[in-house]
Amino acid sequence: MATHVLRLPQIDLSSLLAADAPHIDLRLSAYEASTRNFLKAVSSYKNRALTTLSERRASHAPEKKRILEKTQAAETETNQCKLREIDLVATLEREKEERKDAELEVAALKRQLASLREKSQTIESEIEQYRVMTANLRRERAAERNTLSAHAAHISPRVGAIERVLGCMVEGIGADQVLLRFAHLDAANPDRECSLVLDVAQGYNVATASPSLPTLPLLLKALNETGGFYAFVRDVRIAYQTLLDPRS
């Protein structure tokens, strides 16, 4: 828009003062027109500026909204990160306590293991001592067995002869049990035998007797009271002999 410059006329002051009715033409109509044009130009500029601002505001609104949403999302994510950080710190503290407890437990287990190893070494040493003692006892037992076997081989024939003469044979048949066999009790039947199994585990008890002997409880009671084993054998033989051959 072209700008119209209002130029004021030059005033001759001497001529103006010499006139009977001095008058200056200020050209107010031109000034008013120029003022109106100026105000119109200012208003037009203002409107254009407002329109431009409105257009810019309208064009910037989506960007502002996007930035605001991005900012809110960043704040939300920051808050979530802070919460996760708090949880992570709590987890780290808990793991630290658990690790401390685990280290204490491992230390206790190591002490127990060291103690068990010491006990194991002590036990192994004792076992080795027992092995040596057992080996020595076995050698001693073997030597005694050999000695007894030699003595038994030497006296067995004589013992057998004595048993046959006495008609009484004694032999072990198991743990804490002795078998007594009696022969030559019945003149009518010399090969007939009587026997009983004597249990000596706790005192003296008769496990079995063949045939049954009525006086056996009394004889067993006397044996437990006196401990006279040979007298018991003698009395049992006499009782069986009386049972089988009342005439004897």
Side-chain angles (χ1 to χ4, degrees):
M1 177 179 175
T3 303
H4 178 69
V5 181
L6 178 62
R7 296 181 180 276
L8 296 176
Q10 294 181 354
I11 299 173
D12 187 0
L13 185 59
S14 59
S15 300
L16 181 63
L17 293 175
D20 293 335
H23 176 71
I24 298 174
D25 187 6
L26 298 176
R27 298 184 180 180
L28 293 176
S29 58
Y31 173 76
E32 291 176 353
S34 177
T35 300
R36 285 193 299 271
N37 290 333
F38 175 75
L39 293 176
K40 185 176 179 182
V42 170
S43 178
S44 177
Y45 176 78
K46 176 184 176 182
N47 291 333
R48 287 197 305 274
L50 291 175
T51 301
T52 302
L53 290 175
S54 297
E55 291 176 352
R56 288 180 179 178
R57 188 180 295 111
S59 62
H60 290 169
E63 182 66 17
K64 182 179 179 180
K65 181 179 180 181
R66 186 182 65 81
I67 294 174
L68 181 61
E69 291 176 350
K70 188 175 181 180
T71 302
Q72 291 177 348
E75 290 178 353
T76 301
E77 186 176 358
T78 301
N79 293 331
Q80 292 177 354
C81 289
K82 289 181 178 179
L83 293 176
R84 286 196 295 271
E85 181 181 3
I86 294 173
D87 293 339
L88 181 59
V89 170
T91 302
L92 291 175
E93 289 296 328
R94 184 171 62 255
E95 290 179 352
K96 183 179 179 181
E97 293 296 327
E98 291 177 354
R99 180 179 179 182
K100 183 178 179 181
D101 294 339
E103 290 176 350
L104 292 175
E105 186 175 357
V106 168
L109 291 174
K110 286 183 178 179
R111 290 193 296 271
Q112 293 180 3
L113 180 60
S115 177
L116 290 174
R117 285 178 176 173
E118 292 179 359
K119 291 181 179 179
S120 177
Q121 292 176 355
T122 302
I123 292 173
E124 288 179 357
S125 177
E126 293 178 355
I127 289 174
E128 186 62 27
Q129 293 177 0
Y130 286 133
R131 286 175 179 170
V132 173
M133 293 173 60
T134 301
N136 293 333
L137 290 173
R138 284 177 177 174
R139 285 193 295 270
E140 293 176 1
R141 187 68 58 83
E144 292 175 356
R145 188 179 297 110
N146 293 333
T147 302
L148 292 174
S149 297
H151 285 297
H154 179 68
I155 66 173
S156 289
R158 290 188 294 173
V159 171
I162 293 172
E163 286 180 345
R164 285 191 297 273
V165 171
L166 296 177
C168 177
M169 287 152 282
V170 180
E171 59 182 301
I173 60 171
D176 302 321
Q177 287 189 339
V178 176
L179 173 63
L180 302 178
R181 292 189 300 155
F182 301 96
H184 310 300
L185 301 173
D186 188 357
N189 187 5
D191 294 332
R192 184 176 181 181
E193 288 187 351
C194 295
S195 64
L196 63 84
V197 176
L198 191 65
D199 190 340
V200 296
Q202 294 181 349
Y204 294 96
N205 295 285
V206 174
T208 60
S210 177
S212 178
L213 191 62
T215 59
L216 186 58
L218 296 176
L219 298 175
L220 190 61
K221 180 180 179 182
L223 173 61
N224 283 293
E225 290 176 351
T226 62
F229 179 76
Y230 296 107
F232 173 76
V233 174
R234 180 197 63 199
D235 293 340
V236 169
R237 175 177 175 77
I238 293 172
Y240 270 128
Q241 192 171 19
T242 303
L243 178 67
L244 298 179
D245 188 4
R247 295 172 299 174
S248 59

